[in-house]
mmCIF file of all heavy atoms in Angstrom:
data_model
loop_
_atom_site.group_PDB
_atom_site.id
_atom_site.type_symbol
_atom_site.label_atom_id
_atom_site.label_comp_id
_atom_site.label_asym_id
_atom_site.label_seq_id
_atom_site.Cartn_x
_atom_site.Cartn_y
_atom_site.Cartn_z
ATOM 1 N N TYR A 1 -118.654 -5.781 -129.349
ATOM 2 C CA TYR A 1 -119.854 -6.254 -130.140
ATOM 3 C C TYR A 1 -119.896 -5.543 -131.484
ATOM 4 O O TYR A 1 -120.369 -6.120 -132.491
ATOM 5 C CB TYR A 1 -121.132 -5.943 -129.328
ATOM 6 C CG TYR A 1 -121.365 -6.823 -128.116
ATOM 7 C CD1 TYR A 1 -121.765 -6.243 -126.953
ATOM 8 C CD2 TYR A 1 -121.121 -8.140 -128.225
ATOM 9 C CE1 TYR A 1 -121.984 -7.089 -125.823
ATOM 10 C CE2 TYR A 1 -121.365 -8.948 -127.152
ATOM 11 C CZ TYR A 1 -121.774 -8.454 -125.904
ATOM 12 O OH TYR A 1 -121.954 -9.292 -124.895
ATOM 13 N N MET A 2 -119.432 -4.335 -131.567
ATOM 14 C CA MET A 2 -119.443 -3.654 -132.838
ATOM 15 C C MET A 2 -118.427 -4.211 -133.804
ATOM 16 O O MET A 2 -118.699 -4.383 -134.975
ATOM 17 C CB MET A 2 -119.087 -2.137 -132.599
ATOM 18 C CG MET A 2 -120.230 -1.325 -132.114
ATOM 19 S SD MET A 2 -119.758 0.373 -131.656
ATOM 20 C CE MET A 2 -119.624 1.072 -133.278
ATOM 21 N N ALA A 3 -117.306 -4.667 -133.260
ATOM 22 C CA ALA A 3 -116.286 -5.386 -134.098
ATOM 23 C C ALA A 3 -116.845 -6.672 -134.659
ATOM 24 O O ALA A 3 -116.674 -7.028 -135.836
ATOM 25 C CB ALA A 3 -114.977 -5.572 -133.352
ATOM 26 N N GLU A 4 -117.573 -7.417 -133.699
ATOM 27 C CA GLU A 4 -118.142 -8.651 -134.192
ATOM 28 C C GLU A 4 -119.179 -8.480 -135.191
ATOM 29 O O GLU A 4 -119.341 -9.229 -136.197
ATOM 30 C CB GLU A 4 -118.669 -9.454 -132.963
ATOM 31 C CG GLU A 4 -117.593 -10.067 -132.108
ATOM 32 C CD GLU A 4 -118.195 -10.778 -130.927
ATOM 33 O OE1 GLU A 4 -119.474 -10.971 -130.857
ATOM 34 O OE2 GLU A 4 -117.422 -11.262 -130.103
ATOM 35 N N ASN A 5 -119.986 -7.399 -134.981
ATOM 36 C CA ASN A 5 -121.023 -7.078 -135.950
ATOM 37 C C ASN A 5 -120.496 -6.762 -137.358
ATOM 38 O O ASN A 5 -121.019 -7.278 -138.359
ATOM 39 C CB ASN A 5 -121.900 -5.856 -135.396
ATOM 40 C CG ASN A 5 -123.149 -5.599 -136.221
ATOM 41 O OD1 ASN A 5 -123.542 -6.546 -136.930
ATOM 42 N ND2 ASN A 5 -123.635 -4.430 -136.151
ATOM 43 N N GLU A 6 -119.444 -5.973 -137.415
ATOM 44 C CA GLU A 6 -118.832 -5.670 -138.714
ATOM 45 C C GLU A 6 -118.284 -6.885 -139.384
ATOM 46 O O GLU A 6 -118.393 -7.052 -140.540
ATOM 47 C CB GLU A 6 -117.706 -4.546 -138.444
ATOM 48 C CG GLU A 6 -118.225 -3.214 -138.121
ATOM 49 C CD GLU A 6 -117.100 -2.235 -137.867
ATOM 50 O OE1 GLU A 6 -115.913 -2.621 -137.955
ATOM 51 O OE2 GLU A 6 -117.394 -1.106 -137.525
ATOM 52 N N ARG A 7 -117.668 -7.725 -138.598
ATOM 53 C CA ARG A 7 -117.069 -8.957 -139.129
ATOM 54 C C ARG A 7 -118.170 -9.826 -139.757
ATOM 55 O O ARG A 7 -118.020 -10.429 -140.789
ATOM 56 C CB ARG A 7 -116.279 -9.673 -138.046
ATOM 57 C CG ARG A 7 -115.387 -10.842 -138.622
ATOM 58 C CD ARG A 7 -114.430 -11.390 -137.620
ATOM 59 N NE ARG A 7 -115.147 -12.098 -136.542
ATOM 60 C CZ ARG A 7 -115.197 -11.624 -135.218
ATOM 61 N NH1 ARG A 7 -114.517 -10.542 -134.965
ATOM 62 N NH2 ARG A 7 -115.815 -12.219 -134.300
ATOM 63 N N LEU A 8 -119.262 -9.952 -139.003
ATOM 64 C CA LEU A 8 -120.390 -10.808 -139.454
ATOM 65 C C LEU A 8 -121.051 -10.140 -140.743
ATOM 66 O O LEU A 8 -121.464 -10.882 -141.686
ATOM 67 C CB LEU A 8 -121.409 -10.969 -138.390
ATOM 68 C CG LEU A 8 -121.080 -11.969 -137.310
ATOM 69 C CD1 LEU A 8 -122.100 -11.808 -136.146
ATOM 70 C CD2 LEU A 8 -120.992 -13.395 -137.812
ATOM 71 N N GLN A 9 -121.157 -8.869 -140.774
ATOM 72 C CA GLN A 9 -121.684 -8.242 -141.951
ATOM 73 C C GLN A 9 -120.773 -8.382 -143.154
ATOM 74 O O GLN A 9 -121.242 -8.632 -144.257
ATOM 75 C CB GLN A 9 -121.912 -6.646 -141.739
ATOM 76 C CG GLN A 9 -123.141 -6.450 -140.816
ATOM 77 C CD GLN A 9 -123.316 -4.945 -140.644
ATOM 78 O OE1 GLN A 9 -122.442 -4.176 -140.980
ATOM 79 N NE2 GLN A 9 -124.410 -4.586 -139.988
ATOM 80 N N GLU A 10 -119.439 -8.344 -142.922
ATOM 81 C CA GLU A 10 -118.494 -8.613 -144.005
ATOM 82 C C GLU A 10 -118.649 -10.059 -144.517
ATOM 83 O O GLU A 10 -118.560 -10.347 -145.717
ATOM 84 C CB GLU A 10 -117.090 -8.303 -143.596
ATOM 85 C CG GLU A 10 -116.782 -6.792 -143.452
ATOM 86 C CD GLU A 10 -115.337 -6.568 -142.971
ATOM 87 O OE1 GLU A 10 -114.684 -7.581 -142.727
ATOM 88 O OE2 GLU A 10 -114.971 -5.395 -142.768
ATOM 89 N N THR A 11 -118.765 -10.927 -143.577
ATOM 90 C CA THR A 11 -118.998 -12.383 -143.951
ATOM 91 C C THR A 11 -120.256 -12.610 -144.741
ATOM 92 O O THR A 11 -120.229 -13.323 -145.727
ATOM 93 C CB THR A 11 -119.037 -13.248 -142.678
ATOM 94 O OG1 THR A 11 -117.843 -12.924 -141.873
ATOM 95 C CG2 THR A 11 -119.055 -14.739 -143.044
ATOM 96 N N LEU A 12 -121.357 -11.905 -144.329
ATOM 97 C CA LEU A 12 -122.642 -12.082 -145.056
ATOM 98 C C LEU A 12 -122.534 -11.486 -146.407
ATOM 99 O O LEU A 12 -123.122 -11.949 -147.398
ATOM 100 C CB LEU A 12 -123.737 -11.343 -144.281
ATOM 101 C CG LEU A 12 -124.305 -12.096 -143.070
ATOM 102 C CD1 LEU A 12 -125.279 -11.269 -142.288
ATOM 103 C CD2 LEU A 12 -124.947 -13.459 -143.466
ATOM 104 N N SER A 13 -121.822 -10.407 -146.654
ATOM 105 C CA SER A 13 -121.726 -9.781 -147.898
ATOM 106 C C SER A 13 -120.689 -10.432 -148.846
ATOM 107 O O SER A 13 -120.409 -10.009 -149.945
ATOM 108 C CB SER A 13 -121.478 -8.261 -147.838
ATOM 109 O OG SER A 13 -120.221 -8.108 -147.141
ATOM 110 N N GLY A 14 -119.959 -11.429 -148.315
ATOM 111 C CA GLY A 14 -118.958 -12.158 -149.085
ATOM 112 C C GLY A 14 -117.589 -11.434 -149.261
ATOM 113 O O GLY A 14 -116.857 -11.734 -150.167
ATOM 114 N N LYS A 15 -117.297 -10.501 -148.223
ATOM 115 C CA LYS A 15 -116.040 -9.692 -148.353
ATOM 116 C C LYS A 15 -115.040 -10.141 -147.317
ATOM 117 O O LYS A 15 -113.996 -9.548 -147.147
ATOM 118 C CB LYS A 15 -116.297 -8.222 -148.175
ATOM 119 C CG LYS A 15 -117.152 -7.659 -149.344
ATOM 120 C CD LYS A 15 -117.425 -6.183 -149.113
ATOM 121 C CE LYS A 15 -118.270 -5.592 -150.177
ATOM 122 N NZ LYS A 15 -118.579 -4.205 -149.962
ATOM 123 N N GLY A 16 -115.370 -11.173 -146.592
ATOM 124 C CA GLY A 16 -114.431 -11.562 -145.537
ATOM 125 C C GLY A 16 -113.070 -12.011 -146.092
ATOM 126 O O GLY A 16 -113.101 -13.034 -146.888
ATOM 127 N N ASN A 17 -111.951 -11.398 -145.628
ATOM 128 C CA ASN A 17 -110.600 -11.738 -146.087
ATOM 129 C C ASN A 17 -110.392 -11.648 -147.610
ATOM 130 O O ASN A 17 -109.581 -12.356 -148.176
ATOM 131 C CB ASN A 17 -110.183 -13.131 -145.592
ATOM 132 C CG ASN A 17 -110.094 -13.114 -144.064
ATOM 133 O OD1 ASN A 17 -109.724 -12.145 -143.476
ATOM 134 N ND2 ASN A 17 -110.485 -14.233 -143.532
ATOM 135 N N GLY A 18 -111.254 -10.926 -148.273
ATOM 136 C CA GLY A 18 -111.082 -10.722 -149.716
ATOM 137 C C GLY A 18 -111.556 -11.880 -150.601
ATOM 138 O O GLY A 18 -111.270 -11.929 -151.776
ATOM 139 N N LYS A 19 -112.169 -12.931 -150.037
ATOM 140 C CA LYS A 19 -112.601 -14.098 -150.719
ATOM 141 C C LYS A 19 -114.168 -14.194 -150.674
ATOM 142 O O LYS A 19 -114.660 -14.041 -149.624
ATOM 143 C CB LYS A 19 -111.998 -15.337 -150.163
ATOM 144 C CG LYS A 19 -110.446 -15.312 -150.209
ATOM 145 C CD LYS A 19 -109.928 -16.606 -149.562
ATOM 146 C CE LYS A 19 -108.370 -16.595 -149.607
ATOM 147 N NZ LYS A 19 -107.835 -17.787 -148.909
ATOM 148 N N LYS A 20 -114.709 -14.618 -151.729
ATOM 149 C CA LYS A 20 -116.170 -14.844 -151.793
ATOM 150 C C LYS A 20 -116.443 -16.322 -151.409
ATOM 151 O O LYS A 20 -115.873 -17.172 -152.004
ATOM 152 C CB LYS A 20 -116.688 -14.558 -153.153
ATOM 153 C CG LYS A 20 -116.646 -13.097 -153.496
ATOM 154 C CD LYS A 20 -117.358 -12.813 -154.770
ATOM 155 C CE LYS A 20 -117.341 -11.314 -155.121
ATOM 156 N NZ LYS A 20 -118.011 -11.045 -156.362
ATOM 157 N N LYS A 21 -117.325 -16.483 -150.361
ATOM 158 C CA LYS A 21 -117.556 -17.807 -149.924
ATOM 159 C C LYS A 21 -119.025 -18.146 -150.180
ATOM 160 O O LYS A 21 -119.954 -17.317 -149.966
ATOM 161 C CB LYS A 21 -117.321 -17.922 -148.400
ATOM 162 C CG LYS A 21 -115.790 -17.684 -148.084
ATOM 163 C CD LYS A 21 -115.558 -17.768 -146.604
ATOM 164 C CE LYS A 21 -114.155 -17.497 -146.246
ATOM 165 N NZ LYS A 21 -113.859 -17.505 -144.837
ATOM 166 N N ALA A 22 -119.278 -19.344 -150.609
ATOM 167 C CA ALA A 22 -120.610 -19.797 -150.852
ATOM 168 C C ALA A 22 -121.194 -20.302 -149.580
ATOM 169 O O ALA A 22 -120.612 -21.233 -148.977
ATOM 170 C CB ALA A 22 -120.672 -20.939 -151.906
ATOM 171 N N LEU A 23 -122.318 -19.709 -149.114
ATOM 172 C CA LEU A 23 -122.882 -20.138 -147.897
ATOM 173 C C LEU A 23 -124.164 -20.880 -148.126
ATOM 174 O O LEU A 23 -124.972 -20.459 -149.010
ATOM 175 C CB LEU A 23 -123.180 -18.882 -147.042
ATOM 176 C CG LEU A 23 -121.950 -18.051 -146.669
ATOM 177 C CD1 LEU A 23 -122.456 -16.754 -145.913
ATOM 178 C CD2 LEU A 23 -121.087 -18.851 -145.616
ATOM 179 N N THR A 24 -124.382 -21.845 -147.409
ATOM 180 C CA THR A 24 -125.701 -22.570 -147.517
ATOM 181 C C THR A 24 -126.777 -21.732 -146.842
ATOM 182 O O THR A 24 -126.510 -20.850 -146.090
ATOM 183 C CB THR A 24 -125.525 -23.946 -146.774
ATOM 184 O OG1 THR A 24 -125.242 -23.675 -145.448
ATOM 185 C CG2 THR A 24 -124.444 -24.758 -147.424
ATOM 186 N N ASP A 25 -128.023 -22.191 -147.120
ATOM 187 C CA ASP A 25 -129.177 -21.394 -146.567
ATOM 188 C C ASP A 25 -129.237 -21.473 -145.036
ATOM 189 O O ASP A 25 -129.513 -20.478 -144.353
ATOM 190 C CB ASP A 25 -130.508 -21.929 -147.158
ATOM 191 C CG ASP A 25 -130.602 -21.637 -148.636
ATOM 192 O OD1 ASP A 25 -129.886 -20.582 -149.066
ATOM 193 O OD2 ASP A 25 -131.429 -22.222 -149.364
ATOM 194 N N GLY A 26 -128.891 -22.675 -144.522
ATOM 195 C CA GLY A 26 -128.968 -22.825 -143.018
ATOM 196 C C GLY A 26 -127.916 -22.013 -142.332
ATOM 197 O O GLY A 26 -128.214 -21.357 -141.327
#
């Protein structure tokens, strides 16, 4: 769960795999 949490936080901050992704509001 901690690994998943870190991965989701990286995704939310736009740091996942070193690429910034545009996320929709939903």
Side-chain angles (χ1 to χ4, degrees):
Y1 289 137
M2 286 174 71
E4 287 183 5
N5 187 21
E6 287 177 2
R7 192 171 65 247
L8 285 171
Q9 283 181 352
E10 287 177 0
T11 306
L12 283 173
S13 61
K15 295 179 181 178
N17 294 326
K19 296 178 181 178
K20 291 186 178 180
K21 298 179 180 179
L23 297 173
T24 61
D25 291 341

